[in-house]
Amino acid sequence: MFDFQIKASCSKTKARIGSFETPHGVVMTPRFMPVGTLGTVKGVTPSQLAGTGAQMVLANTFHLHLQPGEEVIANAGGLHSFMGWDGPILTDSGGFQVFSLADLNKIDDHGVSFRNPRNGSQIELTPEKAIEIQMSLGADVVMAFDQCPPYPSTQNDVEEACRRTNNWLERCVKVHSRKDQALFGIVQGGCFPSLRELSAKQICSFDLPGIAIGGVSVGEPVEDMHRIVKQVLPLLPEDRPRYLMGIGTLPEMALAVANGIDLFDCVLPTRLGRHGTALVAGERWNLRNARFRNDHRPLDKSCFCEACKHHSRAYLHHLIRSDELLGLSLLSIHNISHLIRFTSAMAKAIAEGCFSEDFAPWNTDSPARHTW
């Protein structure tokens, strides 16, 4: 259980193909993981989600605690049964809400006190509580409770967040008791190299089944994100899955895979879909634009998702312009498929020896063109 095997690696980069065993199936890496915050990937049914090639999906501890409550989900037999998804699930700890709901919370060494965004009541989330909730939810992979500092922050503030993240991880490890769950730690440190190095060494010392890099894609320049990935990856154990949190843009995914990242997640594909935008060959197409009104070609002829197999650009344009929910759902399905196809294409390119950190399989000059 939770065995991670490297199946192939790239001779020119640190990219690798891996398999990660969980109680609900094997996750082949590199792999993009769709986000289903409230136990649902917005606008996409579980069977449609499986059709995109998704293997592991995410849900959020904080939001499921607020609604419907972990007791309801536990009584349903756990999150897999509750949401009708029989594949692997990862639950975020709620640590990101420490960042995203900063105006509603108060942080100290004990934990975080929140004002409930639904009704204004006071709630408290501690490392122990976050793990207890996740054990009740029953996900395959659970994340340690951490403090994600905003960008920009002073070095003193980030140092304090790193100290708390390390101390909170120790408390998470003590309370976590489910053998059928893998607990991952999270490296923080903001944009400060010395703090990233310190955090990586501290988190690695717990010898957990997997490690994540957090605190990126929070407003910092993309060059800083690249630098952090390149700095931290050599500090992490090679025989464990490595997860870069909150990343879903293709250049950043390619560079991260080239440096040894295995897993990604991001709300971007469904968020874009709900706003009428499709991801096609690395571009973002606004389907509201008039140029699609009489375009009866598939959205992407190289894609075999439900939207591309059965519907034209003109039909999708019509649905979006008419504010039909089906259009938003089809674009979300396509966008998820696009990112999963991209990670699958990277895996094939690694196996065939034609992968690089600027991987772009739709480029006709690229030796990886046939992998897309």
Side-chain angles (χ1 to χ4, degrees):
M1 195 180 296
F2 305 116
D3 183 47
F4 180 70
Q5 295 286 334
I6 298 174
K7 303 295 186 180
S9 58
C10 176
S11 60
K12 300 176 182 177
T13 71
K14 297 177 182 177
R16 70 260 191 98
I17 302 169
S19 65
F20 179 48
E21 293 186 13
T22 80
H24 287 87
V26 176
V27 181
M28 299 302 299
T29 66
R31 180 66 52 163
F32 176 79
M33 304 179 291
V35 177
T37 301
L38 282 163
T40 172
V41 177
K42 293 185 184 299
V44 181
T45 68
S47 60
Q48 290 171 329
L49 190 60
T52 68
Q55 293 179 349
M56 178 179 276
V57 301
L58 273 70
N60 182 269
T61 298
F62 176 78
H63 290 293
L64 289 173
H65 173 61
L66 298 185
Q67 172 63 39
E70 61 272 19
E71 298 88 355
V72 172
I73 295 173
N75 289 338
L79 190 55
H80 296 85
S81 176
F82 188 64
M83 64 184 285
W85 173 258
D86 59 5
I89 297 175
L90 181 151
T91 45
D92 191 5
S93 67
F96 185 74
Q97 281 62 51
V98 177
F99 161 79
S100 63
L101 300 177
D103 58 332
L104 299 177
N105 70 47
K106 179 182 178 182
I107 307 171
D108 58 30
D109 286 353
H110 180 65
V112 185
S113 299
F114 288 92
R115 189 166 71 252
N116 189 326
R118 291 176 174 269
N119 58 22
S121 63
Q122 284 294 121
I123 58 173
E124 184 179 65
L125 198 58
T126 65
E128 293 81 5
K129 183 66 174 178
I131 293 299
E132 289 167 1
I133 295 170
Q134 291 183 91
M135 288 195 293
S136 295
L137 296 176
D140 300 88
V141 175
V142 301
M143 302 304 298
F145 193 56
D146 65 324
Q147 183 179 351
C148 176
Y151 178 88
S153 292
T154 67
Q155 184 164 351
N156 286 340
D157 287 343
V158 177
E159 186 173 6
E160 183 74 356
C162 287
R163 182 187 63 80
R164 282 204 181 104
T165 293
N166 184 57
N167 291 344
W168 287 354
L169 175 56
E170 184 174 2
R171 290 161 60 185
C172 288
V173 169
K174 286 181 179 179
V175 75
H176 185 256
S177 60
R178 285 192 65 154
K179 301 302 183 184
D180 59 346
Q181 288 183 326
L183 172 63
F184 281 24
I186 304 173
V187 175
Q188 290 291 347
C191 293
F192 299 98
S194 61
L195 296 181
R196 282 287 176 180
E197 180 177 0
L198 175 63
S199 181
K201 290 180 178 178
Q202 290 174 333
I203 303 305
C204 290
S205 70
F206 287 88
D207 195 29
L208 298 170
I211 294 183
I213 300 177
V216 295
S217 194
V218 293
E220 77 283 358
V222 69
E223 295 81 8
D224 280 338
M225 183 196 305
H226 294 171
R227 176 179 56 77
I228 291 166
V229 168
K230 290 180 178 181
Q231 178 202 355
V232 173
L233 262 297
L235 304 174
L236 306 185
E238 294 184 356
D239 61 347
R240 313 291 164 88
R242 301 153 164 178
Y243 164 29
L244 185 59
M245 305 180 77
I247 300 299
T249 49
L250 304 191
E252 281 61 55
M253 291 168 68
L255 184 139
V257 166
N259 283 277
I261 286 290
D262 305 297
L263 298 169
F264 305 88
D265 80 286
C266 190
V267 299
L268 187 66
T270 50
R271 180 173 291 168
L272 289 176
R274 295 196 304 276
H275 288 85
T277 298
L279 297 170
V280 182
E283 300 177 347
R284 297 183 185 185
W285 291 4
N286 183 352
L287 268 293
R288 292 185 180 275
N289 288 348
R291 69 186 177 102
F292 298 111
R293 182 173 182 269
N294 204 36
D295 189 341
H296 298 285
R297 293 173 293 176
L299 180 60
D300 181 350
K301 66 180 182 180
S302 68
C303 180
F304 297 97
C305 76
E306 187 174 337
C308 294
K309 282 194 302 183
H310 302 297
H311 305 295
S312 68
R313 299 173 185 180
Y315 181 61
L316 293 169
H317 167 80
H318 158 67
L319 293 177
I320 298 302
R321 290 296 294 264
S322 302
D323 294 326
E324 286 289 342
L325 294 178
L326 177 59
L328 310 183
S329 177
L330 287 171
L331 290 188
S332 294
I333 291 169
H334 168 77
N335 290 345
I336 292 170
S337 299
H338 184 77
L339 295 190
I340 292 174
R341 286 174 61 222
F342 185 72
T343 51
S344 297
M346 286 193 287
K348 187 173 182 182
I350 293 166
E352 296 180 357
C354 56
F355 176 76
S356 65
E357 70 175 29
D358 57 352
F359 183 77
W362 53 82
N363 185 336
T364 55
D365 296 327
S366 170
R369 177 68 183 89
H370 67 287
T371 67
W372 185 248

